Amino acid sequence: EFEIIMIDEAHPVYAPFFGVMGVVSAIAFSALGAGYGTAKCGTGMASIGVIRPDLIMKSIIPLIMAGILGIYGLVIAVIISLNLTSTGYALASGLFSMGAGLAVGISGLAAGFAIGIVGDAGLRSAAQQPKMFMGMIMSLIFAEILAIYGFITGIILITLT
């Protein structure tokens, strides 16, 4: 027994695909950024532990900031997936969801690259010159703000669905 589903222009059968791609984009790109930032900062933390073991606890800050990027993607992915349905899903909702996922994911990826590079170089320089620590923190904050911009944009796009 097959059920015939009436499809109109506003609710095509392929509309949920775009919503799912928004979920995948949000979590995958954010996780890539978080992973790269964590790996890059981890190498900086390992080198600072050799030079200045007393700074190990301070060197965790870039790692935490990199890990937060994955949380932004997870939040948006969960919000999008809660709105997904297999039938009656509007094409506009799918496109807005995909836009939200891409905004969060790609901005998280860019922020992860920035946090990883700045965190690694900043930790190494702070080990030799302690005054560089605040400069590194400020640079990390500005890098994290890139992901926050994408997160805010994603939230706005999801509320339009």
Side-chain angles (χ1 to χ4, degrees), residues 72-140:
Y72 297 146
L74 178 66
V75 168
I76 293 294
V78 167
I79 292 171
I80 293 171
S81 63
L82 289 175
N83 294 329
L84 280 173
T85 59
S86 59
T87 57
Y89 192 70
L91 180 59
S93 294
L95 293 173
F96 281 128
S97 296
M98 187 171 78
L102 285 171
V104 173
I106 294 175
S107 66
L109 181 63
F113 284 161
I115 289 171
I117 293 167
V118 169
D120 181 33
L123 288 173
R124 292 173 195 262
S125 65
Q128 295 175 1
Q129 174 53 261
K131 292 180 182 178
M132 292 297 296
F133 188 77
M134 275 313 291
M136 178 195 67
I137 295 296
M138 291 304 295
S139 298
L140 289 172

